[in-house]
């Protein structure tokens, strides 16, 4: 009988589970459901419910106090398109998004590479690498409010540390009112964001480099690879996932930036709206002007902007991985 005319043998149907096995499976499902149910309920109450309320309030003119909220549809979102101050806030957030994550990741990668050349994989490099890790990580132990206050003193145009050092070394012409000049204020805040965040990502990248097998670096060294070529061809590709995570988190920080701007800048948000960010516009609209419906629309816009950014960043990395 040929293969083509041979009757096809059907696979035997799997035997149904025994009653004792079914009872064990049911007990297992019951345990899992019982363990997840409290967390799911808390998530719905404290996470999903506030989001749903914000989405609803963005379609009303609620003033934040007890009373009826009139449904206005998408009028609040239409107002956002013509709100010049909010549009300036979007531009400032986009500038932060363009520069701050790239600078933080770049400096963090550089410092991590220099530190890991100090013996973790058998290469010569900087002495006292662990001490430098502690020093650069130190800002992570300070709250955002403390960081903002300290740097506010440092930026003081009269007796601040930065201008004091410039005057002491004879560079009086470089002294500035760092937070009072429209062209400098946002970059001064951005410098603080980079300073406060670079230590964490340096430690993150340092741990990731430390996990790379040293045999890979030894093989590259034997092949005559230079330090820059090794970093570009080996270290950076193997850190792609870590860089992606860092970029997403730093992008979310750049799209917020509320606390530093609120504490450090004049106005706050000044001068002339040069440091206005979306989070600050939302806060002022809600708690100073009492327009909670309009502020909720700002929050919804910020939410979807952050969501789109995260999806694009994650999708872009996935496409690069598939091409590789």
């Amino acid at each position: 009988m040929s293969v083509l005319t041979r009757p096809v043998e059907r696979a035997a149907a799997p035997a149904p589970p025994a009653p004792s096995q079914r009872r064990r499976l049911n007990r297992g499902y019951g345990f899992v459901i019982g363990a997840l149910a409290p967390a799911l309920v808390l998530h719905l109450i404290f996470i999903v419910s506030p989001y749903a309320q914000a989405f609803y309030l963005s379609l009303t003119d609620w003033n934040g106090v007890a009373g009826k909220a009139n449904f206005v549809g998408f009028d609040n979102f239409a107002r956002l398109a013509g709100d010049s101050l909010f549009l300036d806030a979007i531009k400032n957030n986009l500038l932060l998004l363009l520069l701050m994550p790239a600078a933080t990741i770049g400096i963090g990668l550089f410092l991590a590479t220099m530190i890991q050349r100090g013996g973790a994989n058998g290469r010569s490099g900087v002495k006292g690498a662990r001490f430098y890790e502690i020093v650069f990580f130190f800002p992570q132990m300070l709250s955002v409010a403390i960081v903002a206050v300290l740097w506010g003193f440092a930026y003081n145009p009269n007796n601040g540390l930065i201008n004091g050092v410039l005057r002491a070394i004879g560079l009086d012409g470089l002294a500035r009112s760092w937070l009072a000049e429209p062209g400098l204020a946002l970059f001064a805040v951005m410098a603080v964001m980079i300073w406060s965040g670079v230590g964490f990502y340096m430690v993150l990248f340092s741990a990731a480099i430390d996990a790379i097998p040293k045999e890979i670096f030894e093989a590259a060294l034997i092949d005559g690879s230079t330090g820059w070529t090794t970093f570009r061809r080996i270290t950076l590709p193997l850190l792609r996932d870590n860089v992606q995570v860092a970029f997403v988190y730093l992008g979310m920080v750049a799209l917020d930036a509320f606390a530093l701007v609120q504490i450090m800048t004049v106005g706050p948000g000044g001068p002339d709206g040069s440091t206005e960010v979306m989070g600050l516009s939302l806060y002022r609209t809600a708690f100073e002007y009492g327009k909670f419906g309009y502020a909720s629309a700002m929050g919804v816009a910020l939410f979807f902007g952050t969501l789109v950014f995260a999806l694009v960043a994650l999708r872009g990395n996935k496409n690069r991985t598939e091409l590789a």
Side-chain angles (χ1 to χ4, degrees), residues 104-149:
T104 304
I105 291 173
I107 298 173
L109 279 172
F110 172 77
L111 294 175
T113 304
M114 293 299 101
I115 285 176
Q116 282 303 315
R117 287 171 62 88
N121 289 319
R123 299 183 299 279
S124 60
V126 179
K127 294 182 179 180
R130 299 308 174 191
F131 171 76
Y132 290 118
E133 285 186 348
I134 295 173
V135 170
F136 283 106
F137 190 80
F138 177 75
Q140 292 295 314
M141 296 184 287
L142 303 176
S143 68
V144 177
I146 294 176
V147 169
V149 170

Side-chain angles (χ1 to χ4, degrees), residues 38-53:
L40 181 60
V41 170
L42 291 175
H43 183 79
L44 290 174
I45 294 175
F46 294 106
I47 304 296
V48 177
S49 176
Y51 275 106
Q53 293 179 43

Side-chain angles (χ1 to χ4, degrees), residues 1-90:
M1 183 180 297
S2 67
V3 175
L4 296 178
T5 60
R6 184 181 301 166
V8 178
E9 296 181 359
R10 296 184 179 181
S20 59
Q21 186 178 5
R22 283 200 301 269
R23 285 194 297 270
R24 286 196 299 269
L25 289 174
N26 291 334
R27 285 199 298 268
Y29 292 145
F31 175 79
V32 172
I33 294 173
L36 293 179
L40 181 60
V41 170
L42 291 175
H43 183 79
L44 290 174
I45 294 175
F46 294 106
I47 304 296
V48 177
S49 176
Y51 275 106
Q53 293 179 43
F55 293 154
Y56 169 72
L57 291 175
S58 68
L59 305 175
T60 69
D61 62 353
W62 188 50
N63 60 6
V65 297
K68 183 179 179 180
N70 298 316
F71 185 81
V72 297
F74 291 96
D75 289 353
N76 288 330
F77 295 97
R79 288 177 57 192
L80 288 178
D83 190 334
S84 59
L85 188 60
F86 187 72
L87 294 178
D88 289 339
I90 293 177

